[in-house]
Amino acid sequence: MDNNKGKVLVTGADGFIGSHLTEALLEEGYSVRALCQYNSFNNWGWLENINHKRLEIVTGDVRDPNLCRHITEGCDVVYHLAALIAIPYSYVAPDSYVDTNIKGTLNMCQAARDCGVSRIVVTSTSEVYGTAKYVPIDEIHPRQPQSPYSATKIGADAIALSFYNAFGLPVVIARPFNTYGPRQSARAIIPTIITQIASGMREIKVGDLTPTRDFNYVKDTAAGFIALGQTAGIEGREINIATGTEVSMRDTLDTIARLMGVDVNYIVDPERIRPSGSEVFRLCGDNRLITSLTDWRPRYSLERGLCETIGWFSDKDNLSGYKSGIYNV
């Protein structure tokens, strides 16, 4: 039943969420054109070891509008995930975030319009909300650009919605809350703790442990993207992908240590502390919109997702790809 669900494009397919989404789409029966960022090593990131007869890998950069148009041709649905996402790096290289996140989204929207796609799902982030003014955070919560990264994602969302309003482009904004799981960059809190413990460290370097997050296991996030790509009549909507629960960093780390069967001490590393006005202290998403519009529901509890994540990172072959002794910006 090859190609029974048509051809889709995933940008940022070589990354953490993008690679899981690519796998999930293949499992659903789609043919996938996967954009990996061009590099001279011809490395396909997390798709390097994924082989499938319905997977077409292309390399390039969403900052190039001609490339965006070329890779969009012949695709029915576009999942646009390509972005620069590390918040600390956005403090020192904000121009790069404008070029990739805002201009890259503009290029993909123009390409989708020119190629007549039936749906483009543009990836947002819960960071656009900043520290919660109320919880759970629904889609009309005020936007608060507390980092250059979040500012560019707010801008990218606005560009995408302008194409819906001005040109009728069938856009849906997917807004996942904090996704975690196998393959995640060690810049994020969950993998940085797991990799330190798995490497034998018992004094764990961390940042601020007081903020709360709404953690989505990556397979749930990928399923949310697919639901937003398949569901009719939701064009022009901004839609959270969230569990509706929150947990503090400290409680998350205590859970990880318990699941890994170790006693650890936490050391606050000043390098890992965000500027005071940039830290997002509370995130808890309202998922009533996505659960009312689609059949998506989160399937993974935090402990179940953490167990799968710990298992993956604890494999010596996977762990060897991480530099657990340094702070990953």
Side-chain angles (χ1 to χ4, degrees):
M1 298 180 65
D2 287 350
N3 303 318
N4 64 329
K5 287 195 173 181
K7 191 163 195 173
V8 301
L9 169 66
V10 179
T11 72
D14 50 339
F16 164 47
I17 299 176
S19 64
H20 284 276
L21 175 59
T22 297
E23 287 183 314
L25 287 163
L26 291 169
E27 290 173 2
E28 289 255 337
Y30 290 94
S31 294
V32 180
R33 179 177 292 157
L35 175 66
C36 301
Q37 187 174 32
Y38 173 82
N39 61 85
S40 60
F41 302 102
N42 198 31
N43 183 280
W44 300 336
W46 290 117
L47 295 186
E48 191 68 29
N49 297 314
I50 299 176
N51 298 305
H52 198 288
K53 61 184 178 181
R54 284 187 275 103
L55 174 62
E56 174 194 0
I57 294 178
V58 296
T59 59
D61 195 311
V62 293
R63 292 175 297 178
D64 188 295
N66 297 307
L67 180 280
C68 292
R69 188 175 298 105
H70 175 71
I71 62 174
T72 303
E73 290 178 353
C75 293
D76 183 45
V77 176
V78 174
Y79 294 92
H80 175 47
L81 284 78
L84 285 175
I85 61 173
I87 293 169
Y89 187 56
S90 77
Y91 301 145
V92 297
D95 281 6
S96 300
Y97 286 70
V98 171
D99 287 344
T100 299
N101 296 352
I102 296 179
K103 293 183 180 178
T105 299
L106 171 62
N107 292 339
M108 287 306 306
C109 287
Q110 288 178 320
R113 180 190 178 204
D114 290 347
C115 295
V117 304
S118 67
R119 174 72 52 85
I120 176 170
V121 179
V122 173
T123 308
S124 183
T125 169
S126 57
E127 286 283 328
V128 303
Y129 295 126
T131 295
K133 291 184 175 295
Y134 58 82
V135 295
I137 298 170
D138 57 22
E139 288 80 1
I140 63 172
H141 186 283
R143 307 313 189 246
Q144 301 178 97
Q146 291 181 222
S147 66
Y149 163 67
S150 64
T152 62
K153 296 299 282 186
I154 292 171
D157 294 349
I159 286 287
L161 290 172
S162 78
F163 269 68
Y164 170 75
N165 290 320
F167 309 118
L169 184 68
V171 170
V172 176
I173 305 293
R175 186 163 293 130
F177 278 63
N178 300 81
T179 301
Y180 71 98
R183 307 177 196 152
Q184 187 173 19
S185 165
R187 62 169 183 78
I189 185 67
I190 288 176
T192 197
I193 296 305
I194 295 173
T195 55
Q196 288 181 75
I197 294 175
S199 297
M201 301 176 188
R202 295 299 177 261
E203 290 191 340
I204 308 302
K205 294 182 178 180
V206 295
D208 192 343
L209 294 180
T210 60
T212 66
R213 293 292 184 263
D214 185 332
F215 287 115
N216 285 291
Y217 187 59
V218 65
K219 289 184 179 179
D220 280 337
T221 298
F225 271 91
I226 293 174
L228 297 182
Q230 294 175 337
T231 303
I234 60 173
E235 295 83 1
R237 307 294 292 268
E238 302 173 71
I239 303 175
N240 291 339
I241 303 174
T243 68
T245 60
E246 62 182 318
V247 59
S248 73
M249 299 291 195
R250 179 56 189 263
D251 288 344
T252 303
L253 304 187
D254 287 343
T255 300
I256 292 171
R258 174 173 58 80
L259 292 174
M260 296 184 76
V262 297
D263 293 321
V264 297
N265 295 316
Y266 302 130
I267 300 172
V268 175
D269 179 1
E271 189 179 11
R272 301 169 191 256
I273 301 294
R274 293 193 201 180
S276 58
S278 186
E279 180 61 81
V280 174
F281 287 101
R282 191 178 187 191
L283 286 175
C284 179
D286 188 333
N287 65 12
R288 286 177 292 181
L289 184 58
I290 190 172
T291 56
S292 67
L293 294 174
T294 77
D295 61 1
W296 180 87
R297 303 291 185 276
R299 297 185 297 112
Y300 285 80
S301 67
L302 180 60
E303 287 211 9
R304 181 186 173 195
L306 285 175
C307 285
E308 293 205 8
T309 305
I310 290 166
W312 187 88
F313 277 101
S314 296
D315 181 284
K316 64 179 182 179
D317 291 333
N318 296 329
L319 185 62
S320 67
Y322 288 81
K323 301 178 177 68
S324 57
I326 67 172
Y327 174 48
N328 292 271
V329 175

